[in-house]
Amino acid sequence: MSTAVCCLAAAGAGTASAGSAGAGDPYFPQDGDGGYTVSRYDVGVSLDPATPESFAGDTTVFAEAKQDLDRFDLDLEGFTVSSVLVNGSPAKAVARSGAHKLVITPAQTVHKGSPLTVRVRYSGAPTGRSWHRLKGGGVNVTGEPHSATAWFPVNDHPSKKAALHLEATVPSAWSVVGNGLPGPVTSRDGKTTYRWNEDRPIASYATTMAVDKFTVRTSKLGDGTPVIHAYGQNTSILPDSENLVPDILGFLSSKFGPYPFSSAGSIVVAPERSDGSVALETQTRPTYAGAFYDVSAVHELAHQWFGDSVSFSDWRDGCIAECFAQYAGQLWDEHRDGADLDKNYRESVAEHKNDAAFWSVHLYDPGKEHPLDAALYDRGPLMLHALRRTVGDDIFFATLKAWQAKYRYGNASWLDFEKLAAQQSGKDLRGFFQAWAHSSVIPPDPYLHPGPLKA
């Protein structure tokens, strides 16, 4: 049975056995589907960067039904869908709904606990906002809060992490870099197929694919972990920054626990148009615009622990990623250059003491219009430094390691962190977190100037 878009059924009302209408995120209620759990995506794509309409995708989703399913959704922006198979049989109906929903009705009910394998074939010029043209004619896919929807069908929510296997075929003048470890590279008839496998669960926005004429530089960490740096056209190779990556990862490991992934490195590309992003924490191999410096590298590599290995439960929890990654940069300055973080803290608090707007956004649940508000980057590190001075260095860093160990490769909320911090310290931290994470005014002085931070 063909399910070409021209004859797809219209999206109708749900049934009692339909998948959840979204994954339940209060900021992005239409994202994802709570009716099934994905274990792996096998994404096959073929493209010529010079002709976007040449893009062809063939993705298989390996999942398990969490409830009886007479209907379920995937998230995919644009494309013409030519066929959908559910557990090997053509779907009864496939429909579009909203900006990115692919609504699938299987020929037979998929019962709770049963395997759910969905193969989607699709083609056409990509239209998603996270699909970027590069100087020199290449392309890459990065974005937050959405990325994967621009190139493969996905259960698009950070809580729905899964392994990702990529097989990408391009004209042989080009090369492809993705998440995880490289697999075999094969060539035939003027085309080359690249394979990348990330077997650790990955949040959909941390997936990536980059097609460019890359200069690839490889090395290994002390424990043998491969480090792969891929530099696209019109980018700068900065050996001094590159050589710092093992030191940065070693330092972060000393503070957060073992590096969580099987490979490391960077993807450096030159977008035709800037979207304001200098870098993004694509898992295992962060993506940088133009070049990367140790400042941006520390932030993005810290995300491998905070955001990628331990991902947030929903988009209210952005502090789980950004507050810690930003503070990691300050910890690196303290370690490498002897920065006085207490002095910097006092100066920042004094500078913003009478700036009501600076304190007005909650660090937990900052609002659906700005889930990654500037407050997470500006005020979040202040909160973490105040917490460090409240509980002491030993307990603070033990808490960060306990957090990583407890939730490694999973998801957790900011409220989970508050609970763990209280357990680790043996202190009642409710007043502290209420003042710092749940308030829209400057914290009272006991929380603003704890311990050695007293003015």
Side-chain angles (χ1 to χ4, degrees):
M1 171 184 173
S2 174
T3 52
V5 162
C6 64
C7 58
L8 297 184
T15 70
S17 296
S20 302
D25 195 288
Y27 289 3
F28 300 99
Q30 296 304 309
D31 286 3
D33 186 322
Y36 59 93
T37 300
V38 180
S39 59
R40 189 178 85 236
Y41 297 97
D42 282 2
V43 180
V45 299
S46 175
L47 69 151
D48 182 344
T51 54
E53 63 275 11
S54 70
F55 184 100
D58 186 349
T59 290
T60 300
V61 182
F62 296 93
E64 180 180 296
K66 294 172 62 178
Q67 62 189 66
D68 287 352
L69 294 173
D70 289 335
R71 196 201 74 193
F72 59 91
D73 300 346
L74 286 166
D75 297 287
L76 180 68
E77 299 178 72
F79 297 114
T80 297
V81 175
S82 58
S83 69
V84 177
L85 300 178
V86 181
N87 291 339
S89 298
K92 181 179 179 180
V94 182
R96 291 287 190 175
S97 177
H100 52 77
K101 282 297 181 187
L102 195 63
V103 184
I104 299 168
T105 303
Q108 296 180 331
T109 298
V110 181
H111 293 289
K112 179 179 179 180
S114 297
L116 172 64
T117 302
V118 188
R119 183 177 183 182
V120 182
R121 293 176 177 171
Y122 51 104
S123 61
T127 61
R129 291 180 60 188
S130 55
W131 185 270
H132 308 291
R133 298 288 303 179
L134 304 177
K135 294 177 183 178
V139 296
N140 83 317
V141 205
T142 56
E144 192 176 4
H146 303 103
S147 177
T149 54
W151 61 299
F152 68 93
V154 60
N155 194 346
D156 189 33
H157 192 266
S159 67
K160 307 300 179 183
K161 297 162 65 171
L164 174 67
H165 290 185
L166 169 64
E167 184 174 293
T169 301
V170 294
S172 293
W174 300 90
S175 53
V176 181
V177 180
N179 306 94
L181 289 167
V185 177
T186 56
S187 296
R188 181 180 179 183
D189 299 331
K191 295 184 177 182
T192 300
T193 299
Y194 294 83
R195 296 167 179 87
W196 292 88
N197 300 314
E198 173 52 333
D199 289 322
R200 295 299 186 186
I202 182 170
S204 52
Y205 76 83
T207 64
T208 192
M209 174 183 67
V211 182
D212 207 336
K213 297 175 182 178
F214 284 108
T215 298
V216 178
R217 293 157 63 95
T218 62
S219 60
K220 291 183 179 181
L221 299 179
D223 63 0
T225 299
V227 180
I228 302 169
H229 296 287
Y231 297 89
Q233 301 170 91
N234 303 292
T235 65
S236 298
I237 299 175
L238 303 177
D240 289 346
S241 292
E242 182 182 304
N243 292 338
L244 278 175
V245 167
D247 290 340
I248 293 170
L249 288 175
F251 170 72
L252 296 178
S253 295
S254 74
K255 298 300 182 184
F256 306 153
Y259 179 68
F261 299 117
S262 59
S263 66
S266 64
I267 303 171
V268 186
V269 293
E272 280 186 350
R273 299 181 183 85
S274 173
D275 63 358
S277 298
V278 175
L280 192 68
E281 66 270 22
T282 44
Q283 187 162 305
T284 66
R285 197 159 293 107
T287 298
Y288 304 88
F292 76 89
Y293 306 86
D294 62 326
V295 174
S296 58
V298 172
H299 182 104
E300 304 310 329
L301 291 173
H303 273 310
Q304 303 306 303
W305 285 265
F306 291 92
D308 291 356
S309 177
V310 182
S311 306
F312 39 81
S313 294
D314 64 49
W315 283 100
R316 294 173 298 180
D317 297 316
C319 195
I320 287 298
E322 302 305 336
C323 296
F324 290 96
Q326 195 74 355
Y327 190 53
Q330 297 182 15
L331 294 175
W332 173 252
D333 290 342
E334 181 182 50
H335 163 74
R336 187 178 183 223
D337 301 321
D340 186 340
L341 298 193
D342 287 354
K343 178 176 179 289
N344 295 345
Y345 175 95
R346 293 190 197 97
E347 290 176 350
S348 183
V349 168
E351 177 186 355
H352 297 288
K353 187 173 183 179
N354 297 314
D355 182 1
F358 182 80
W359 308 96
S360 64
V361 176
H362 290 195
L363 295 179
Y364 170 67
D365 196 3
K368 63 181 179 181
E369 297 302 321
H370 301 283
L372 300 177
D373 191 271
L376 277 60
Y377 304 82
D378 298 336
R379 211 168 79 241
L382 295 178
M383 174 183 63
L384 293 177
H385 194 64
L387 177 63
R388 178 181 170 188
R389 292 301 182 230
T390 296
V391 302
D393 274 19
D394 290 347
I395 291 175
F396 178 78
F397 289 111
T399 299
L400 300 191
K401 289 182 177 179
W403 173 258
Q404 290 298 319
K406 182 173 184 178
Y407 296 107
R408 192 174 176 90
Y409 308 127
N411 297 81
S413 73
W414 175 258
L415 301 181
D416 291 325
F417 179 78
E418 292 184 5
K419 182 178 179 181
L420 182 66
Q423 291 172 344
Q424 291 286 312
S425 68
K427 294 178 179 287
D428 184 347
L429 297 175
R430 287 175 294 181
F432 177 92
F433 285 119
Q434 179 61 39
W436 273 103
H438 305 276
S439 177
S440 56
V441 297
I442 189 170
D445 196 68
Y447 303 123
L448 192 64
H449 295 109
L453 294 175
K454 289 180 180 178

